Amino acid sequence: MGGGRENVVSWLMTLDLLSFFVVYELVMLRAVNRAIQKVRHIANWIWLSNIVLESLLPAFAVALLSSASMVPAYRPLANPAFLAFFVFISLSTLRLNPTFCRLSGAASAASYLAAAAYLGWRPTLNWDISLLSPQRAVFGYAATLLIAGFVAGVVAGEFRKQVDAALREAELRGQVDRLEHDLAVARSIQQSLLPGTIPEIAGFEIAGWNQPADQTGGDYYDWQLLPDGKVVVALADVTGHGIGPALLASVCRAYARANFRVGNGLLDAMEHLNAALAGDIGEGRFVTFVAAVCTPGSPRVELLSAGHGPLFFYVMKEDCFEQIGAQGLPLGIVAKLVSEPPQILELNRGDLLVLATDGFFECANSQGEFFGSMRSEEVIRTSKEKQPREIISALYQATLAFSGGTQQQDDLTAVVIKRT
């Protein structure tokens, strides 16, 4: 490999070409990295110059590293440096640009013909000469490079499709991750708005529970101590479930707390709440809302339902249920509340008032059958001796067993008021 003057000259020229090429590629790599860091594009003329210069390296090798002992016409055909053209054409697919690949093939073919001409090859138009003769075989080699460029363009196009699909998938995954993060934050905020402690009111035990169908939901429950010592218990169900109804539920809670604190009576507070919501709720949406006012030490409970029902009133002494319907229209449908006066209930020891959203009653099994009111009453009757939170748990477990593992379709919210 090292003996002989011609071999030494060939090695030195090869090292010179490779050194120049390595330095040039390092400069290009540095330019690309700086462009990535500054988030800017590299001009197309720079890429085109890069393609042309890369195709010239094998051409210089063919032209300068041929043996002087070989017949000039055969020098461009018998030089292994010709194979380097295919290396650069193959690498051009990494630019993911079919046009650049075709340009690489064309530049390689042109530079190869120029190198062959430099070595003494001359084309001929004599069609009687064999295709395998050096005068015509050089054309075949150049045509092969040109075809290789077009094949590389097809491959680059397929690579580009795969990369674009992967980028879209990654972008979509990033959007989903951001959305899930935002929903998790919204859920934590919404859950933090629910009561953190059980209200202490003489003669009553109260408990509430909520589980949205999605990350966030349109149901909520709340209780609030009024200036006169009474406690108002509220439960609301905004149409739909998800982030939109969750926002409306938060707005409804804020309006309710502001209006019930005034102390102008249950019906008056509900009218003001309806007027406030009617201006915010879009067409096709409404809120079913029920409020119960408990007086410490008194069996008297004042109840008003705006479109929310059925409500379950269990009378322990008679072991029977009284289903209470709504006294008025849901909130937000019309600007002025249409409602009857509040209903007054007398709760004796052991009596229960169960406020629940339709997620319980409309829970369906695999056959499409609803859990319904009758099953709800039976669970409440069976659990009547338990504490309110245990009654809610029993109701949820019963619906869960009834559904048979089907996905929860609606938000679940319940409040139990028990007279002690």
Side-chain angles (χ1 to χ4, degrees), residues 118 177 232 413:
Y118 174 80
D177 290 342
V232 58
T413 307

Side-chain angles (χ1 to χ4, degrees), residues 190-191 193-195 208-212 217-224 233-238 245-257 260 273 277 287-291 308 331 355 357 411-415:
Q190 187 180 31
Q191 292 295 311
L193 296 178
L194 297 176
W209 177 82
N210 166 265
Q211 178 171 288
D219 290 3
Y220 87 91
Y221 69 92
D222 194 22
W223 37 72
Q224 181 180 358
V233 179
L235 182 143
D237 182 1
V238 181
L247 293 174
L248 286 177
S250 300
V251 171
C252 181
R253 175 186 180 275
Y255 286 153
R257 285 197 157 230
F260 284 119
L273 173 59
L277 284 174
V287 180
T288 62
F289 189 94
V290 58
H308 195 92
L331 303 180
L355 316 177
T357 57
D411 305 325
L412 299 174
T413 307
V415 173

Side-chain angles (χ1 to χ4, degrees), residues 225-408:
L225 180 63
L226 301 180
D228 57 4
K230 297 179 181 179
V231 173
V232 58
V233 179
L235 182 143
D237 182 1
V238 181
T239 51
H241 51 83
I243 190 66
L247 293 174
L248 286 177
S250 300
V251 171
C252 181
R253 175 186 180 275
Y255 286 153
R257 285 197 157 230
N259 285 285
F260 284 119
R261 188 177 296 276
V262 176
N264 292 331
L266 187 55
L267 182 58
D268 184 71
M270 197 80 82
E271 288 176 346
H272 284 85
L273 173 59
N274 175 76
L277 284 174
D280 293 341
I281 294 179
E283 184 178 354
R285 289 192 180 276
F286 57 85
V287 180
T288 62
F289 189 94
V290 58
V293 179
C294 302
T295 303
S298 170
R300 186 173 182 269
V301 174
E302 188 179 6
L303 182 71
L304 182 58
S305 172
H308 195 92
L311 309 173
F312 298 94
F313 178 34
Y314 175 73
V315 181
M316 172 72 80
K317 184 177 181 179
E318 300 177 5
D319 190 26
C320 67
F321 279 91
E322 178 184 346
Q323 284 198 14
I324 304 173
Q327 288 85 46
L329 292 177
L331 303 180
I333 293 181
V334 292
K336 182 174 177 58
L337 179 67
V338 178
S339 175
E340 299 174 357
Q343 185 171 350
I344 304 301
L345 303 177
E346 295 285 338
L347 271 67
N348 297 311
R349 180 181 177 86
D351 290 351
L352 297 169
L353 180 59
V354 179
L355 316 177
T357 57
D358 54 9
F360 284 98
F361 320 129
E362 296 179 0
C363 174
N365 58 20
S366 56
Q367 287 76 39
E369 184 182 5
F370 289 153
F371 187 71
S373 301
M374 298 298 293
R375 291 186 178 88
S376 300
E377 290 181 0
E378 187 59 33
V379 174
I380 296 171
R381 177 181 281 109
T382 304
S383 310
K384 61 182 181 293
E385 301 292 344
K386 298 180 179 179
Q387 294 181 343
R389 60 182 178 85
E390 295 174 323
I391 297 174
I392 296 175
S393 178
L395 185 60
Y396 172 63
Q397 293 300 327
T399 56
L400 196 64
F402 175 81
S403 68
T406 58
Q407 185 177 1
Q408 179 183 336

